[in-house]
Amino acid sequence: MRYAPILDRLSGLGGAKWDVHFAAVEMKRKGRDVIDLTIGNPDVPAPAALIDRAAEAMRAGRTEYSTGRGEETLRAALAARYARRTGRPVGMDQVLCFPGTQTALYTVIMGVAEPGTEVLVGDPMYATYEGVIRASGAVPVPVPLRSENGFRIAAADIAARITGRSRAILLNTPHNPTGAVLTTEDIDAIGAVAKAHDLWILSDEVYEELVFDGVAFVSPFDRTALADRTVCVASISKSHAAPGFRSGWSVSSADFAERLLPLSETMLFGNQPFIADMTANAIAEPSAVAAGMRTRFAARAKYLDERLAQETALRVHRPEAGMFALIDVTATGQGDRDYAFGLLNESGVAVMPGSAFGGTLKGWVRVALTVDDSRFRAACDRIVAHAAGMAEGERA
């Protein structure tokens, strides 16, 4: 039997990167006490008011078909939100609704890339980025994110990798897995490169509301000179602790949205009306849960940094936003995968190998900040004890 080439392009880019997580799940199933720091699930449930709104909408019959663009109430709420953020008019015709950021990004990339083209993307990157790029037939071009630059993507590094096949720059700010947030200067410099080479800027902004105190969020879409070449995607998954509702969107120029619409409609003809009603309520004002998550995640990252700096040779990269911190494990002499599996098997703490996110993070692991404080402190105790055991073994 014959298969489509897309399946070959995506081979090995799915769940294989999450083997440490799956091993942890299996260990827990068998009764092992495992503290799972691999997945970025919010540490609070979705607000009751949102669940109530979705239930009310279902009971009111809001379970019929939607439009291909998404419900007007939600698109109006999103247009108003982005108009407030940018300080310029944003119309409903610039908004398309999708089941989550992932689907929005997949559709957007399919709309700008094609076989033989290239998409420049920071390395490390969120685990599915390579897949959504390769699905289009395009090739991801990794741009190293340097720890000495706070893991912020640099315009000069992008420019050095541009070819005649380059089609788009994929940004993620705030960034997963590093927690880096691009500055105004970063955005303007990247925008200048995009304009000089006529490139799209695709901006994944799902962590926008999880920026820590003292750090400012900046989007290329908010820069008037870059707006027509920028497409931003986001959702309520992180900001409103509602990943299971799968409610996301894209915001772009009206022309881009119009041209992308038929592709969107062939995948999913609009989102569910009752989820759209809930989402419209959610984004009309600041999230009821985001501020608490920001505070807790920042505090846990600080605690992790201080504990490991004082008691081990491991080095922590403190995030500026998001749900994760990074640990440099090169001092152990082990690679990131060996370290992660050793920590899991010997200490019952599951972390993600950095190499799952790209070559730049070989020698690092990603730690989710999303378990409660007591479990997180226990995880830190185990990481410290594991490091001490490794150091003792080296001395022996």
Side-chain angles (χ1 to χ4, degrees):
M1 301 296 290
R2 297 178 181 178
Y3 294 93
I6 189 174
L7 300 186
D8 293 327
R9 295 197 296 266
L10 297 181
S11 178
L13 296 179
K17 294 185 176 185
W18 299 90
D19 53 357
V20 175
H21 169 72
F22 295 136
V25 170
E26 180 63 15
M27 289 172 66
K28 287 195 289 185
R29 188 187 67 81
K30 293 180 178 179
R32 177 80 181 270
D33 177 22
V34 173
I35 303 175
D36 190 353
L37 304 180
T38 59
I39 300 295
N41 278 316
D43 65 347
V44 292
L50 298 189
I51 296 174
D52 291 344
R53 182 68 187 96
E56 290 167 4
M58 282 190 283
R59 285 192 291 267
R62 295 283 286 150
T63 56
E64 68 278 6
Y65 284 117
S66 182
T67 69
R69 291 181 181 270
E71 292 294 289
E72 286 193 7
T73 52
L74 176 53
R75 288 190 293 119
L78 285 165
R81 169 180 170 148
Y82 282 84
R84 289 192 300 271
R85 199 184 84 178
T86 63
R88 64 175 188 270
V90 175
M92 291 170 55
D93 58 352
Q94 296 177 244
V95 178
L96 295 176
C97 299
F98 295 93
T101 310
Q102 180 76 14
T103 310
L105 186 60
Y106 177 93
T107 312
V108 167
I109 289 179
M110 293 294 285
V112 303
E114 60 186 305
T117 61
E118 297 172 344
V119 177
L120 297 112
V121 58
D123 176 358
M125 67 191 79
Y126 178 57
T128 67
Y129 282 0
E130 184 177 357
V132 295
I133 294 169
R134 290 196 182 277
S136 72
V139 177
V141 177
V143 179
L145 308 184
R146 308 177 191 280
S147 59
E148 60 268 26
N149 193 43
F151 289 109
R152 302 191 324 275
I153 194 167
D157 290 333
I158 295 173
R161 289 161 178 82
I162 290 175
T163 71
R165 297 179 297 278
S166 301
R167 184 65 61 85
I169 302 167
L170 173 54
L171 302 179
N172 178 206
T173 184
H175 186 259
N176 176 10
T178 70
V181 180
L182 295 179
T183 66
T184 300
E185 293 74 20
D186 294 330
I187 294 291
D188 287 346
I190 292 166
V193 171
K195 291 172 70 176
H197 297 276
D198 194 24
L199 302 179
W200 290 98
I201 301 175
L202 314 179
S203 187
D204 179 350
E205 300 171 356
V206 72
Y207 289 100
E208 175 187 350
E209 292 195 57
L210 295 183
V211 176
F212 298 163
D213 289 346
V215 180
F217 170 78
V218 184
S219 168
F221 186 71
D222 298 352
R223 313 297 283 173
T224 302
L226 301 177
D228 283 346
R229 69 176 62 250
T230 298
V231 185
C232 52
V233 297
S235 73
I236 62 169
S237 294
K238 307 299 187 182
S239 58
H240 292 75
F245 279 98
R246 312 312 303 141
S247 184
W249 55 83
S250 70
V251 183
S252 62
S253 68
D255 179 67
F256 183 89
E258 180 69 25
R259 293 179 65 109
L260 194 68
L261 178 59
L263 175 59
S264 173
E265 289 175 330
T266 64
M267 295 172 53
L268 180 75
F269 204 86
N271 60 344
Q272 301 89 332
F274 64 92
I275 292 180
D277 293 347
M278 180 201 75
T279 306
N281 278 30
I283 58 118
E285 55 189 33
S287 166
V289 295
M293 286 192 287
R294 290 194 299 267
T295 299
R296 292 190 297 276
F297 298 159
R300 289 169 191 155
K302 180 176 184 288
Y303 179 82
L304 176 71
D305 183 16
E306 292 174 348
R307 284 289 308 274
L308 299 194
Q310 293 169 4
E311 302 177 54
T312 76
L314 304 176
R315 180 169 66 91
V316 174
H317 171 73
R318 290 266 291 272
E320 296 179 304
M323 300 179 162
F324 307 103
L326 297 176
I327 304 175
D328 182 349
V329 300
T330 54
T332 67
Q334 290 189 332
D336 53 289
R337 286 181 56 78
D338 288 342
Y339 174 86
F341 272 107
L343 182 67
L344 174 62
N345 292 323
E346 298 165 24
S347 302
V349 176
V351 298
M352 283 292 289
S355 56
F357 305 98
T360 301
L361 276 192
K362 288 180 179 177
W364 297 73
V365 295
R366 189 191 76 172
V367 175
L369 304 169
T370 54
V371 299
D372 67 61
D373 288 343
S374 61
R375 290 290 277 174
F376 192 78
R377 288 192 294 270
C380 290
D381 291 341
R382 297 183 191 186
I383 292 170
V384 168
H386 179 258
M390 294 181 70
E392 184 65 30
E394 290 177 2
R395 288 192 291 271

